[in-house]
Amino acid sequence: MIMNRPYIGIPMGDPAGIGPEIVVKSIVDETVNEISRPVIVGEKNTLKQAMKFCNIDLEINIIENVEEGNYKIGVLNLIDLKNVDIDELKVGTVQGIAGRAAFEYIEKVVELALDKKVAAIATTPINKESLKQGGVNYIGHTEILEDLTNSHDPLTMFQVYDLRVFFLSRHVPLKEACDMVTEERLYDYIKRCVDSLNILGVENPKLAVAGLNPHSGEHGLFGDTEVKEMGPAIKRAQQEGMDVLGPVPADSVFHFGLKKSYDAVLSLYHDQGHIATKMVDFERTISITNNLPFLRTSVDHGTALDIAGTGKASSVSMVEAIRLAAEYAPKFNR
């Protein structure tokens, strides 16, 4: 067992989804207990119900402060917000009470992280429709965390095995995402990616920028974004001493990233990087949010309402999110 295991804050997620189930499955995982001290923020009866779904027997230890926990396998240390009426909860359905509860778990975990009570947070899935029905006007975790921490434009990075992928844009239409590939924006993101890699402990990071058009435009034959916008941005970064190359055709850049030819890839839009990472290993693709006051990792799947309550949900992604949080936390907080 690793000495000085970091405290990792874990919000339970949407009570009607698979969040509670993957949480209890993760807590019985030996790796999780060897490398971290997981602190769950959630609701006791929902977690007890999830244990029945999963045929798991855990001791729930209610705590007020993280230092009160008994961090050994077989014990789930819980900060209980008591915000779900188990008799009203309908597992597997969109509900306002579930969306509101999920938001309150995130609020509490953020409070713990800002107060340095936990070294990092590893988040579980939430449901956009449930949030809306619960009067929570955010579209996802990133926007919630941005607002709660007064941060600006958090930087998303995916990691699966040795492939790290940043994103120039997130949830915008593809046409708009293409229009966002400008010299100034790309140059700014290159700098931010390099800074984030340094913070995560990657020394002298090498960054590849994915191309936008087929074959990176073939010098203007298939589009001129690479020539007019991307080339100048990359050259500026290189002149400032950053180890950045590209634009590298998108049909090969992720393959070489997985082979460690560089430390990370900057993807130009949502699906370009999502498809690449999830084709490597869907369950082990983990989202890491940079440019926050604390480290945040997350599963990259939804609430899976269709299988919630069956005990079938895989905890592989949750375990991996906790593992990366524990691995990067000492470097992030140094």
Side-chain angles (χ1 to χ4, degrees):
M1 185 174 291
I2 297 173
M3 298 294 292
N4 300 319
R5 293 172 293 154
Y7 292 109
I8 306 298
I10 305 170
M12 188 182 74
D14 189 305
I18 62 171
E21 294 170 54
I22 63 174
V23 165
V24 299
K25 286 185 176 182
S26 298
I27 296 303
V28 297
D29 186 275
E30 289 186 6
T31 300
V32 166
N33 289 276
E34 288 174 356
I35 64 174
S36 71
R37 288 180 281 188
V39 180
I40 311 304
V41 176
E43 194 278 326
K44 181 179 179 179
N45 291 322
T46 310
L47 288 165
K48 289 175 69 175
Q49 179 177 255
M51 284 190 277
K52 290 180 181 178
F53 294 152
C54 301
N55 195 27
I56 288 174
D57 185 23
L58 285 166
E59 173 192 341
I60 296 182
N61 181 35
I62 305 296
I63 60 175
E64 295 289 334
N65 302 299
V66 299
E67 296 86 359
E68 299 169 359
N70 179 14
Y71 298 99
K72 66 179 183 179
I73 196 161
V75 179
L76 187 153
N77 295 284
L78 171 67
I79 296 177
D80 187 5
L81 298 194
K82 303 176 182 178
N83 58 355
V84 176
D85 185 337
I86 197 68
D87 294 326
E88 291 185 16
L89 183 68
K90 297 178 181 178
V91 174
T93 63
V94 172
Q95 295 164 90
I97 58 169
R100 168 55 59 177
F103 175 70
E104 290 172 356
Y105 305 142
I106 298 168
E107 278 188 310
K108 181 61 179 178
V109 163
V110 167
E111 177 188 319
L112 293 173
L114 291 176
D115 290 342
K116 308 296 183 183
K117 301 296 184 182
V118 296
I121 69 174
T123 57
T124 50
I126 55 178
N127 187 284
K128 295 177 179 64
E129 291 182 70
S130 294
L131 289 176
K132 186 175 181 180
Q133 286 193 19
V136 181
N137 295 315
Y138 295 99
I139 62 171
H141 272 111
T142 304
E143 292 74 19
I144 292 173
L145 296 170
E146 182 176 11
D147 203 17
L148 292 179
T149 61
N150 293 314
S151 301
H152 173 66
D153 195 16
L155 185 64
T156 298
M157 183 187 90
F158 276 15
Q159 180 163 339
V160 54
Y161 301 118
D162 293 313
L163 175 62
R164 302 183 185 95
V165 179
F166 291 96
F167 296 86
L168 187 68
S169 60
R170 296 195 303 268
H171 297 124
V172 297
L174 181 57
K175 184 178 186 302
E176 186 177 333
C178 293
D179 292 339
M180 292 170 72
V181 185
T182 64
E183 178 182 345
E184 286 303 319
R185 183 177 179 86
L186 183 59
Y187 170 71
D188 176 59
Y189 267 71
I190 289 171
K191 291 195 300 180
R192 295 173 65 197
C193 292
V194 170
D195 288 344
S196 293
L197 290 168
N198 280 316
I199 290 170
L200 293 175
V202 181
E203 296 182 1
N204 304 312
K206 184 175 186 178
L207 178 71
V209 179
L212 178 65
N213 295 299
H215 308 290
S216 289
E218 288 279 13
H219 305 289
L221 289 176
F222 310 134
D224 59 9
T225 302
E226 284 82 2
V227 175
K228 290 186 175 180
E229 305 291 344
M230 299 182 69
I234 292 168
K235 185 175 181 180
R236 283 173 64 186
Q238 291 170 337
Q239 289 173 340
E240 293 184 12
M242 287 176 257
D243 191 356
V244 53
L245 70 156
V248 181
D251 61 359
S252 60
V253 68
F254 300 104
H255 167 76
F256 288 113
L258 185 62
K259 297 294 184 182
K260 300 185 182 181
S261 296
Y262 13 81
D263 296 297
V265 176
L266 176 53
S267 167
L268 300 183
Y269 56 92
H270 181 280
D271 282 8
Q272 187 183 57
H274 275 244
I275 292 170
T277 53
K278 291 176 182 178
M279 282 297 292
V280 172
D281 192 323
F282 186 89
E283 289 190 306
R284 287 182 171 80
T285 295
I286 302 302
S287 176
I288 300 174
T289 308
N290 299 277
N291 290 11
L292 294 173
F294 48 79
L295 176 68
R296 177 253 178 163
T297 65
S298 181
V299 299
D300 191 52
H301 59 70
T303 48
L305 297 177
D306 58 324
I307 62 169
T310 67
K312 295 179 180 178
S314 170
S315 62
V316 169
S317 190
M318 189 75 245
V319 170
E320 188 70 3
I322 297 169
R323 186 190 70 78
L324 284 180
E327 177 184 324
Y328 280 131
K331 303 167 185 176
F332 185 92
N333 296 313
R334 63 188 170 181

